Amino acid sequence: MMDQQLLQNLRAQTRPLHDRLEAIVDGARLMKPPFDQPHYARLLRAHLAFNLSVNEQFASGMPFEVRIPAWPEADRVTALKEDLKALDVNAAGEGMPAMPLAENAAFVAGLCYVAEGAAMGNQMIHKALLQHPEFAALGADRYMQQSKAGLSGRWKAFQQALGHYLKVSEESVIAGAKAGFLHFEGIWLALS
């Protein structure tokens, strides 16, 4: 069972960076007419670069005492590339800021916390986007659909692993989550 106090501590410690990133990305802009295709494409490109960065952490050969469910996340990357292709947008990540390799698995769990949180936040954006006929006609919501699929069960399974790493090194998980928010912000700004 996940220690809810540890999760609350993680949320409290990362809330300022979360809120700042939310303001910078301005997902609310996508929730009101007219549909802003360039902003949506930028969001997808940022998610692609971020997910690729997180996946790189798993390719480093670092030992994970407890598996982090759904990671490395190849399906998200595939869906993002297909959506960007549907939008006729280059999915290449040249010029994106690099994230240094993490020191331990708890740090990587913090990065995954940011990615899983983004998948949950995408659901509000996707629901609003579906109200725009021009969005529905694009056929570029594979990532949003993939994020939604099994979200509740995936979050519960993820929380179990996250709980383990919070108990092992709460400080490293929080550092990873903070680095994740800052990395996503850096990607977003590089795409401007």
Side-chain angles (χ1 to χ4, degrees):
M1 183 82 180
M2 172 73 174
D3 183 330
Q4 292 301 313
Q5 186 57 53
L6 289 174
L7 183 59
Q8 291 303 322
N9 290 346
L10 173 60
R11 286 182 179 143
Q13 291 291 316
T14 59
R15 174 62 62 191
L17 290 173
H18 169 276
D19 292 349
R20 185 171 89 185
L21 179 60
E22 207 167 72
I24 290 169
V25 171
D26 192 12
R29 180 172 162 186
L30 291 169
M31 293 192 244
K32 55 188 178 220
F35 172 58
D36 188 338
Q37 185 172 332
H39 193 74
Y40 180 63
R42 184 178 179 191
L43 181 69
L44 295 180
R45 288 185 71 207
H47 277 273
L48 175 60
F50 184 77
N51 278 276
L52 287 170
S53 292
V54 176
N55 284 355
E56 283 177 17
Q57 305 296 326
F58 289 90
S60 71
M62 177 186 316
F64 287 85
E65 314 87 58
V66 170
R67 183 182 160 277
I68 300 177
W71 290 95
E73 184 49 275
D75 291 342
R76 287 183 197 183
V77 168
T78 300
L80 282 159
K81 287 180 178 179
E82 289 173 357
D83 286 343
L84 288 165
K85 185 177 179 182
L87 295 172
D88 198 25
V89 172
N90 184 357
E94 291 90 14
M96 293 297 103
M99 177 182 282
L101 288 179
E103 294 178 13
N104 58 48
F107 186 95
V108 178
L111 295 174
C112 292
Y113 169 76
V114 175
E116 287 297 323
M120 288 195 290
N122 286 342
Q123 296 320 298
M124 288 177 17
I125 293 171
H126 187 232
K127 185 176 180 180
L129 286 173
L130 288 173
Q131 305 307 308
H132 302 296
E134 60 272 52
F135 170 76
L138 290 170
D141 70 342
R142 291 167 193 83
Y143 171 63
M144 295 291 183
Q145 290 287 352
Q146 197 270 339
S147 292
K148 182 179 179 180
L151 181 61
S152 177
R154 192 173 70 235
W155 177 245
K156 286 177 187 171
F158 174 71
Q159 279 188 309
Q160 292 300 314
L162 182 64
H164 166 80
Y165 289 110
L166 280 166
K167 287 176 187 169
V168 168
S169 180
E170 181 181 12
E171 184 178 293
S172 289
V173 174
I174 290 170
K178 286 180 176 181
F181 285 117
L182 290 170
H183 184 59
F184 199 106
E185 181 180 326
I187 291 167
W188 185 262
L189 295 175
L191 289 169
S192 60

